[in-house]
């Protein structure tokens, strides 16, 4: 005895629809563009950029840094929204210094170049010296960073700052030398650090020699 109810087999079209909707291999995934990594909008400013994250990425993404990255065919450059001479150093210089700890493009480039170019304005010395008590802890954290490129940016920034403020940095210098001395054990940085210390002595004067030798006894002064 057979019932009036029968199960109809799936048609070829139904099977095709079922298999295409359930197969993950057939899903089309958008391919990233080469320019995506250069576009700050594609980078999550609240992501884990480094072990010592700064607020720079968030500020930059919100338009709080008055310059932007211009992509050139050979090299990149910064374009300022207004003349750097007209910008207040507080808090811009400190914010740029914090950005030195970033490890993602374009934050790395903007912070490095912005810090350097801001210190090149005519009255940079008068503007930077009052900020030293707040700048030095930021540079100290940069020099203590585990990332080698971050350390190099911090070392270059320290030399740039020393060239502008001169002996005014001596009172704060000892706080920065501990992290520098630890990197001397790495042959990769030995020559670079030696040159940087010589620059610090050149800009800081005789008083800086005593300070440097107190933290790095093996340092040979350029004065002798």
């Amino acid at each position: 005895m057979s019932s009036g109810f029968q199960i109809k087999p799936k048609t070829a079209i139904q099977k095709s629809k079922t298999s295409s909707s359930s197969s993950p291999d057939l899903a089309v995934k958008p391919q990233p563009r080469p320019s995506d990594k250069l576009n700050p909008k594609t980078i999550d400013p609240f992501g884990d950029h480094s072990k010592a994250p700064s607020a720079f990425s968030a500020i930059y993404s919100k338009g709080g840094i008055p310059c932007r990255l211009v992509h050139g065919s050979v090299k990149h450059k910064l374009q300022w929204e207004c003349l750097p001479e007209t910008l207040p150093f507080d808090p811009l210089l400190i914010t740029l210094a914090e950005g030195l700890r970033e490890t993602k493009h374009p934050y790395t480039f903007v912070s490095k170049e912005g810090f350097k170019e801001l210190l090149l304005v005519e009255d940079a010395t008068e503007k930077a010296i009052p900020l030293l008590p707040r700048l030095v802890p930021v540079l100290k954290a940069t020099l203590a960073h585990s990332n080698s490129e971050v350390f190099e940016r911090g070392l270059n920034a320290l030399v740039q700052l020393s060239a502008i403020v001169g002996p005014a940095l001596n009172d704060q210098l000892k706080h920065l030398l501990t992290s520098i001395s630890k990197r001397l054990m790495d042959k990769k940085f030995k020559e670079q650090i030696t040159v940087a210390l010589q620059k610090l002595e050149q800009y800081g004067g005789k008083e800086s020699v005593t300070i440097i030798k107190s933290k790095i006894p093996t340092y040979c002064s350029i004065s002798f």
Side-chain angles (χ1 to χ4, degrees):
M1 178 177 180
S2 60
S3 63
F5 179 80
Q6 294 182 351
I7 300 175
K8 296 181 180 180
K10 292 182 178 180
T11 64
I13 296 177
Q14 288 174 323
K15 288 182 180 180
S16 175
K17 288 182 178 180
T18 303
S19 61
S20 63
S21 61
S22 61
S23 175
D25 296 334
L26 297 178
V28 179
K29 297 180 179 180
Q31 296 296 321
R33 296 171 300 178
S35 60
D36 285 349
K37 65 180 181 179
L38 301 179
N39 184 355
K41 293 182 179 180
T42 66
I43 301 173
D44 179 10
F46 303 103
D48 183 17
H49 297 316
S50 68
K51 291 184 179 180
S54 74
F56 180 83
S57 57
I59 295 174
Y60 179 76
S61 297
K62 294 177 181 178
I65 307 297
C67 60
R68 63 183 180 89
L69 174 64
V70 177
H71 300 288
S73 57
V74 179
K75 63 179 183 178
H76 301 324
K77 65 179 181 179
L78 287 185
Q79 179 173 318
W80 294 86
E81 295 176 1
C82 54
L83 293 175
E85 291 83 357
T86 64
L87 297 171
F89 274 35
D90 188 3
L92 181 57
L93 187 64
I94 297 172
T95 303
L96 290 168
E98 289 187 353
L100 297 172
R101 300 202 303 272
E102 295 290 344
T103 57
K104 298 245 184 220
H105 188 82
Y107 309 135
T108 51
F109 181 85
V110 173
S111 59
K112 178 184 67 175
E113 290 299 312
F115 187 86
K116 180 178 72 174
E117 292 183 17
L118 198 60
L119 285 176
L120 292 177
V121 303
E122 187 175 352
D123 55 349
T125 301
E126 292 76 12
K127 291 181 177 181
I129 288 179
L131 299 179
L132 288 179
R134 294 159 59 194
L135 269 175
V136 168
V138 175
L139 290 178
K140 181 180 178 180
T142 305
L143 293 168
H145 202 283
S146 59
N147 185 291
S148 297
E149 293 182 359
V150 172
F151 170 78
E152 289 183 280
R153 286 196 292 272
L155 190 64
N156 291 333
L158 174 59
V159 172
Q160 293 161 6
L161 180 64
S162 177
I164 298 302
V165 302
L169 183 61
N170 288 340
D171 291 339
Q172 307 282 341
L173 189 57
K174 61 182 179 180
H175 301 298
L176 301 165
L177 293 172
T178 301
S179 298
I180 294 176
S181 65
K182 291 179 180 179
R183 294 280 184 164
L184 270 173
M185 304 298 292
D186 189 338
K187 294 181 180 180
K188 175 184 177 181
F189 296 110
K190 187 172 183 180
E191 182 178 353
Q192 186 178 358
I193 289 175
T194 300
V195 173
L197 293 175
Q198 290 173 345
K199 292 290 185 180
L200 292 175
E201 177 186 350
Q202 176 185 343
Y203 301 134
K206 293 182 179 180
E207 182 185 352
S208 64
V209 179
T210 304
I211 300 171
I212 294 173
K213 279 187 167 292
S214 68
K215 296 293 183 180
I216 308 175
T218 58
Y219 174 69
C220 296
S221 171
I222 58 177
S223 301
F224 302 102

